[in-house]
Amino acid sequence: MLMEVKNQLKVSLLAIKYAVMREMLNKVTFITNIIFMILNNASFIIQWLILFSLKDNVGGYSFKQVMLLWGIASATYGFAHFFFKKAFSLSDTINNGKLDVYLVQPKNVLLSAICTDVDVSAIGDMLYGYIMLFVYGFNISSFLLFTLFVICGGLIITCVSVILNSLSFWFQKSDIIADTGNSLMTNIATYPEGIFKGVVKILLFTLIPVGIANYLPVKIISEFNIYLFVIVIGVTILFIMLAFIIFNKGLKKYSSSNLMIARI
Amino acid sequence: MKKYWFIFKTEVMSNMQYILNVLAGFIGYFIMLFIFFNLWKYIYNEPNQIINGYTMSQMIWYVIITEILWSVLSGRKYCAKIIDDVRGGNIAYNVNKPYNYIGYCLATHLGSCFIRAIMYIVLGMFIGLIFLGNFPSLNIFSILAVLITGILATVISTLLLTFIGLFSFIIEDANPFYWVYSKLILVLGTIFPIEYFPTFIQPILKFSPIYVVSYGPAHLFVNFNWAEFINIIIFQFIYIIIAYLMCSLVYKIGVKRLNVNGG
């Protein structure tokens, strides 16, 4: 079992390595993509400087905590889009019969399908996350917790995307639902939870797990709490299991479209 | 001019076939408005409080209008298409046609914005009325004036996006320039009116594209006056001329560098 997991990880990492090498063929474009993505994210600092000039705290967050929230949101997004880029267009892979190539490989279909490409600008997102950690205040424990939460958050948003995109096995045009879910998670993730009230707040910690992927990590890094820590890890594992179960259930309904494609 | 009108009409008709796709975009628009509604409700201690000359209701109406302008534009897709055309060589099909390429881009994109604009305006007004329960004091003439500035704002944005897209002739991938441009417009022009920025930056912003593509129409909508309308229109015409000349220049330089491999 462990050997199998190790082999699968090795294959997925190799696929990512080759995808990065492909992207690095044009080094200028590669580097500008990363630098401009950092600048792109940094432009939102202006928004928060203005909001904090109007009020001492926004949604119960200090300026530094909002920067940390931005760091976690940006790095989790970057982690998910760098390692699992294709998870965000999985419905296209399913609808157009592009899963065929992965079905004939003696490896896990889901992992093979979502790890075949990388988003270079996502490196900029990840770097920006760590820059924001420095703005918040760097120490070894916050660095380790931040890294762990970036991985957990990245896995959660990837799993949510896989679950929503897997609806394509059952329904046509479900890509709209997946796109909406993804943009909902991304847009809300950078705003403090305190501005939302009532049912929306409950949704953020359940159906739309932005609270688990972003808000709880900020709380834990600000003030360590073992219960919240266990919740983040537990929910991450739960989402991973759900993603695999739903994808595999849907896979049984998949039928090939006889599409011939060449993978270079 | 007739041929561009025909291109515009064709694009409008073609977009009418994909109205469902526009409806899908509404969800994203609604999410953004919902976030800003909550944010401003939190920032304002009471609805009648005035911050930098705006009540809470005016701030939210301002964001509704700037978000309409931004969503209707669908700039990412448009810019990416020009970048892909330049990088992939598809632009070669347009180079030898009997029309001006910039005019062609403008006509097609405005055509694709037309249906979106009608739908987003209706939805935006509806959401505003539901969230706020009031409407800015405007008469039919001032509404028409705001519409004119909105149309000119879309023309300027389209030309500026065409300029960024055509920049791919010079550097291979102009997408990063688009990200920075879009975020500047979003942060400096969509989320906040110019009055929210430090006084020393405000004159700079009033001469920047932000004034003509987002602040102008939205500010007129929440606080209309004819003197400002004329001022905005003058600036918008100046910007249209400058942006068009910039596009023509980069296109001219780019086409000379174009290498097409037959196939």
Side-chain angles (χ1 to χ4, degrees):
Chain A
M1 171 76 179
L2 268 178
M3 249 341 244
E4 223 174 280
V5 174
K6 204 176 154 191
N7 272 337
Q8 179 61 54
L9 279 177
K10 213 171 162 185
V11 172
S12 297
L13 286 173
L14 266 177
I16 291 163
K17 184 184 159 189
Y18 290 128
V20 173
M21 284 165 71
R22 260 198 321 268
E23 294 291 338
M24 282 182 79
L25 282 174
N26 188 333
K27 285 198 175 62
V28 178
T29 306
F30 185 84
I31 291 165
T32 31
N33 266 297
I34 295 169
I35 293 172
F36 274 70
M37 184 47 81
I38 294 174
L39 289 174
N40 174 48
N41 291 338
S43 61
F44 281 97
I45 293 176
I46 301 168
Q47 178 193 357
W48 291 103
L49 282 172
I50 290 173
L51 288 171
F52 276 96
S53 72
L54 302 173
K55 222 166 181 163
D56 290 339
N57 76 76
V58 177
Y61 280 51
S62 66
F63 179 75
K64 279 193 171 181
Q65 281 178 316
V66 170
M67 291 301 104
L68 180 63
L69 178 69
W70 245 100
I72 289 179
S74 157
T76 49
Y77 179 92
F79 179 85
H81 281 77
F82 182 75
F83 290 102
F84 309 109
K85 183 186 173 186
K86 288 283 181 184
F88 298 88
S89 56
L90 193 60
S91 58
D92 172 64
T93 312
I94 298 166
N95 287 336
N96 294 321
K98 293 178 195 166
L99 270 184
D100 294 12
V101 276
Y102 308 108
L103 286 169
V104 291
Q105 290 172 4
K107 293 286 164 205
N108 184 281
V109 181
L110 176 59
L111 284 176
S112 306
I114 64 177
C115 294
T116 50
D117 203 0
V118 293
D119 184 348
V120 174
S121 59
I123 299 172
D125 285 316
M126 284 193 275
L127 288 175
Y128 183 74
Y130 282 94
I131 294 170
M132 287 299 101
L133 178 66
F134 272 94
V135 171
Y136 173 77
F138 177 86
N139 60 51
I140 294 295
S141 68
S142 64
F143 175 80
L144 292 175
L145 281 172
F146 185 88
T147 306
L148 178 70
F149 291 138
V150 165
I151 296 169
C152 288
L155 289 172
I156 288 176
I157 58 173
T158 304
C159 291
V160 169
S161 184
V162 168
I163 292 167
L164 295 177
N165 277 287
S166 294
L167 295 177
S168 290
F169 285 119
W170 291 278
F171 314 107
Q172 278 287 314
K173 285 274 168 201
S174 64
D175 52 326
I176 293 172
I177 302 170
D179 287 347
T180 307
N182 290 333
S183 71
L184 195 67
M185 298 263 305
T186 315
N187 289 326
I188 290 181
T190 52
Y191 290 90
E193 86 224 60
I195 65 166
F196 304 107
K197 299 213 158 49
V199 183
V200 179
K201 205 164 182 176
I202 298 169
L203 284 176
L204 293 181
F205 285 90
T206 48
L207 277 180
I208 315 159
V210 177
I212 312 291
N214 298 84
Y215 300 148
L216 289 189
V218 172
K219 278 199 172 113
I220 298 166
I221 294 174
S222 301
E223 196 180 340
F224 188 77
N225 180 323
I226 188 73
Y227 297 112
L228 297 180
F229 182 83
V230 172
I231 288 173
V232 175
I233 303 294
V235 172
T236 308
I237 295 168
L238 183 76
F239 267 96
I240 294 172
M241 283 162 57
L242 267 177
F244 274 103
I245 291 169
I246 293 173
F247 179 83
N248 287 332
K249 265 207 174 307
L251 195 57
K252 286 179 185 152
K253 287 200 146 275
Y254 176 75
S255 55
S256 165
S257 64
N258 282 334
L259 177 76
M260 282 187 69
I261 51 170
R263 295 179 67 212
I264 303 161
Chain B
M1 203 63 197
K2 220 173 168 184
K3 53 192 165 192
Y4 301 109
W5 174 244
F6 185 76
I7 295 168
F8 172 83
K9 269 199 312 191
T10 313
E11 198 64 30
V12 171
M13 278 151 69
S14 135
N15 271 271
M16 281 176 83
Q17 308 299 315
Y18 302 102
I19 281 184
L20 265 182
N21 291 0
V22 180
L23 289 174
F26 279 175
I27 303 165
Y29 174 72
F30 180 79
I31 293 166
M32 285 318 293
L33 287 189
F34 180 74
I35 291 172
F36 284 118
F37 178 69
N38 280 283
L39 184 66
W40 287 115
K41 228 174 136 188
Y42 185 88
I43 297 287
Y44 279 84
N45 294 322
E46 49 178 295
N48 292 330
Q49 187 187 354
I50 292 177
I51 300 178
N52 295 319
Y54 291 82
T55 61
M56 188 184 91
S57 168
Q58 283 178 315
M59 254 326 292
I60 295 171
W61 274 116
Y62 178 91
V63 176
I64 288 174
I65 300 299
T66 52
E67 283 285 343
I68 287 177
L69 287 167
W70 187 246
S71 306
V72 165
L73 193 65
S74 191
R76 190 164 58 98
K77 245 185 196 166
Y78 173 66
C79 198
K81 195 193 169 297
I82 296 183
I83 292 169
D84 286 347
D85 279 355
V86 173
R87 290 175 73 184
N90 276 344
I91 200 164
Y93 294 109
N94 298 102
V95 170
N96 58 356
K97 296 280 191 303
Y99 51 60
N100 176 305
Y101 180 71
I102 316 292
Y104 167 77
C105 287
L106 196 59
T108 47
H109 190 243
L110 291 180
S112 76
C113 289
F114 185 74
I115 299 291
R116 272 203 303 273
I118 295 171
M119 295 174 82
Y120 272 96
I121 289 169
V122 173
L123 180 86
M125 297 302 113
F126 180 72
I127 292 177
L129 283 171
I130 296 284
F131 278 172
L132 299 163
N134 62 41
F135 194 79
S137 51
L138 291 164
N139 58 37
I140 188 80
F141 297 107
S142 42
I143 289 176
L144 271 175
V146 175
L147 266 179
I148 293 168
T149 56
I151 294 167
L152 292 177
T154 311
V155 172
I156 298 166
S157 297
T158 306
L159 286 171
L160 291 175
L161 291 173
T162 310
F163 173 72
I164 295 172
L166 289 174
F167 218 69
S168 282
F169 274 125
I170 294 158
I171 75 154
E172 195 184 304
D173 185 1
N175 270 312
F177 288 95
Y178 170 74
W179 301 336
V180 172
Y181 168 78
S182 65
K183 287 304 171 302
L184 283 177
I185 296 288
L186 193 69
V187 176
L188 302 180
T190 304
I191 303 174
F192 304 107
I194 290 175
E195 290 83 357
Y196 271 73
F197 294 92
T199 37
F200 70 94
I201 300 177
Q202 288 182 19
I204 302 168
L205 292 177
K206 284 201 169 171
F207 283 101
S208 73
I210 287 151
Y211 182 70
V212 287
V213 302
S214 58
Y215 172 85
H219 187 249
L220 275 180
F221 187 81
V222 297
N223 197 5
F224 189 86
N225 76 71
W226 287 103
E228 194 179 14
F229 167 69
I230 292 166
N231 193 38
I232 291 167
I233 288 279
I234 292 169
F235 268 97
Q236 286 186 320
F237 276 110
I238 294 171
Y239 257 98
I240 287 176
I241 295 166
I242 294 172
Y244 180 79
L245 290 175
M246 276 162 48
C247 288
S248 302
L249 182 71
V250 76
Y251 179 72
K252 231 179 196 173
I253 296 170
V255 165
K256 279 183 194 160
R257 297 160 73 125
L258 186 66
N259 273 313
V260 179
N261 300 314

